[in-house]
DNA sequence: GCGCAATTGTGAACGCCTTCACAAACACGC
DNA sequence: GCGTGTTTGTGAAGGCGTTCACAATTGCGC
């Protein structure tokens, strides 16, 4: 374990393993082999073991992995071992879905404050919270100390909101707006784009349909 | 252009290019070089050209790409040149956000029907639609002929819904539930997981914070 | 205590995507 | 028409993550 840079795909998979492990824990399962993890997660056993190897040894040969201990370990790696406060900006459709989402809790993620710039909305309750003025984001986060922020505002407002979040001390942004955000190098951004996902599916769904309809005329290989 | 298999990352980027091009078109821009696309999209010019090269030649050396023509071309590639009907299952929080989302239209994606299994909800209006019984999904899609489906139901119901969608002729599924779906090989699934995204951000956000706090003891390279 | 079966951890091979770099193509001005 | 400057398209190189394969480790039954 020589602390090489951890591939992002590995981190993404860690979150999946964690979900599987939490489910297993719920079911009273105490030990899981990489083979079984493959069953539940759809990720190959070899990949699982390789992923974990970035962070040290953990399983027992001939036995597998202690579910409970592995949960703790992954939570520590992902910094989900202590509660992570999150700032949400945009009290609209997406924002609504997020504040009411109970699964955050299981990962110790908590939306700690909601902001908007619509004076009609500011001051109103939103889930358990009161919508605050985005102009006060810095001030409010001085109390909270959140490092994570979610942008759920229209695209044209996303960049200024991002700037405000960075100003307020946020170093990780989950962006729902369809725009490229410009942020300082120490800030990480991940974009969520349903349209992009659907576009990829659209390509595949119809491509396959064409093939099925007896149009496999191109004598090529017929992979997946 | 020898019809090699197109990398999935290329398809994902095509959707990004499309958005940039639509914006440019809106602004009256007629021509764009790969260099300029890099500016707007954050994706390198070389990558852009390579991506397009999977589908044939298109730009003019010394000039760039015709915005309008390229939009048409990418739309055709992604099968967004004709309207794509979509089946939405789950008239809850996520479902609500989706039915009201206006941007789908710009990509010719249209939610053509909404399903639920809650008798209280079935028959009620939902956006422009009436919520239908999930039991009738096959029957309804015989009319619509949708190839794309969105799953926005609780995790424990996701698999049965997926089965029903596949039965109804869907070959591409966008899944919001935190579960691995088992589907036949001709069906494509893409998962959307906010928790996973936040977990990755959590790792980075705090890792960087540790480094900034003078703990850059590991003399490694300080990339992004 | 010892052999057998199961399972881990990881170097190495592999494959795929990205990046590089440059010849070919085009516009434009003279 | 021809030289100059720009930009494309794409083979080749490079980098990075995944898959493979196996030695090492542990539990368990006898
Ligand atoms: N609704 C969807 O299904 C969906 C899907 C994919 C992406 N998105 C994207 O997510 C974002 C939010 O979508 P939505 O449907 O929740 O939009 P929405 O219009 O319902 O909500 C946006 C909220 O942001 C607030 N806002 C606007 N400018 C602001 C600013 N400068 N500072 C703070 N708050 C501001 C508005 O007052 C509003 O409450 C959009 O960028 C949208 O493109 C939405
Ligand atoms: N709300 C969020 O912010 C959020 C975030 C990430 C993921 N998700 C996931 O998205 C999914 C939907 O979330 P939500 O907040 O919209 O949930 P929700 O409870 O608001 O809505 C779920 C809907 O699905 C319906 N349903 C249940 N079983 C069904 C079945 N067998 N067939 C048809 N319909 C059925 C319910 O009646 C309900 O209307 C969940 O899996 C959730 O984990 C939600």
């Amino acid at each position: 374990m020589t602390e090489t840079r951890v591939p992002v795909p590995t981190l993404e998979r860690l979150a999946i393993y964690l979900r599987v492990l939490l489910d297993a824990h719920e079911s009273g399962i105490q030990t899981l082999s990489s083979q079984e993890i493959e069953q539940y997660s759809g990720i190959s056993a070899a990949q699982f073991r390789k992923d974990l190897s970035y962070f040290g040894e953990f399983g027992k040969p001939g036995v597998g992995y202690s579910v409970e201990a592995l949960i703790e370990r992954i939570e520590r790696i992902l910094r989900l071992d202590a509660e992570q406060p999150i700032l949400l900006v945009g009290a609209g459709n997406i924002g609504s879905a997020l504040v009411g989402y109970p699964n955050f809790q299981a990962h110790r993620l908590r939306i700690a404050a909601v902001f908007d710039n619509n004076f009609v909305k500011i001051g109103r309750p939103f889930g358990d919270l009161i919508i605050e003025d985005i102009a006060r984001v810095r001030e409010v986060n001085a109390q909270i100390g959140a490092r994570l922020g979610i942008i759920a505002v229209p695209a044209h407002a996303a960049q200024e909101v991002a700037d405000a979040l960075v100003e307020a001390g946020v170093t990780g942004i989950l962006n729902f707006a369809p725009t490229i955000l410009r942020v300082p190098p120490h800030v990480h951004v991940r974009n969520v784009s349903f349209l992009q996902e659907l576009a990829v599916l659209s390509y595949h769904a119809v491509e396959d349909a064409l093939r099925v309809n007896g149009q496999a005329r191109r004598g090529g290989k017929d992979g997946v």
Side-chain angles (χ1 to χ4, degrees), chain A residues 97-98 101 103:
Chain A
L98 291 173
Y101 191 45
N103 280 27

Side-chain angles (χ1 to χ4, degrees), chain A residues 89-151:
Chain A
V89 186
N93 292 309
I94 294 286
S96 286
L98 291 173
V99 288
Y101 191 45
N103 280 27
F104 281 140
Q105 205 177 335
H107 288 62
R108 294 204 182 78
L109 293 166
R110 190 174 63 89
I111 295 182
V114 187
F115 301 88
D116 208 298
N117 77 336
N118 184 332
F119 286 118
V120 175
K121 294 190 176 183
I122 294 170
R124 283 196 189 168
F126 198 67
D128 298 337
L129 302 163
I130 302 289
I131 300 173
E132 312 214 39
D133 189 341
I134 180 68
R136 291 187 54 230
V137 61
R138 183 173 188 170
E139 180 185 341
V140 171
N141 201 38
Q143 302 294 324
I144 299 173
R147 306 203 150 281
L148 301 181
I150 300 177
I151 295 182

Side-chain angles (χ1 to χ4, degrees), chain A residues 37 41 82 94 118 125 166 186:
Chain A
I37 299 260
S41 71
I94 294 286
N118 184 332
V166 170
H186 72 281

Side-chain angles (χ1 to χ4, degrees), chain A residues 122-201:
Chain A
I122 294 170
R124 283 196 189 168
F126 198 67
D128 298 337
L129 302 163
I130 302 289
I131 300 173
E132 312 214 39
D133 189 341
I134 180 68
R136 291 187 54 230
V137 61
R138 183 173 188 170
E139 180 185 341
V140 171
N141 201 38
Q143 302 294 324
I144 299 173
R147 306 203 150 281
L148 301 181
I150 300 177
I151 295 182
V153 303
H156 64 81
Q159 182 62 57
E160 62 177 287
V161 166
D163 295 344
L165 284 174
V166 170
E167 251 274 306
V170 163
T171 54
I173 295 177
L174 185 61
N175 176 39
F176 282 86
T179 334
I180 303 299
L181 298 179
R182 310 217 162 251
V183 295
H186 72 281
V187 178
H188 293 255
V189 175
R190 290 181 71 86
N191 296 295
V192 175
S193 173
F194 305 163
L195 283 171
Q196 183 175 337
E197 304 294 334
L198 285 169
V200 174
L201 285 173

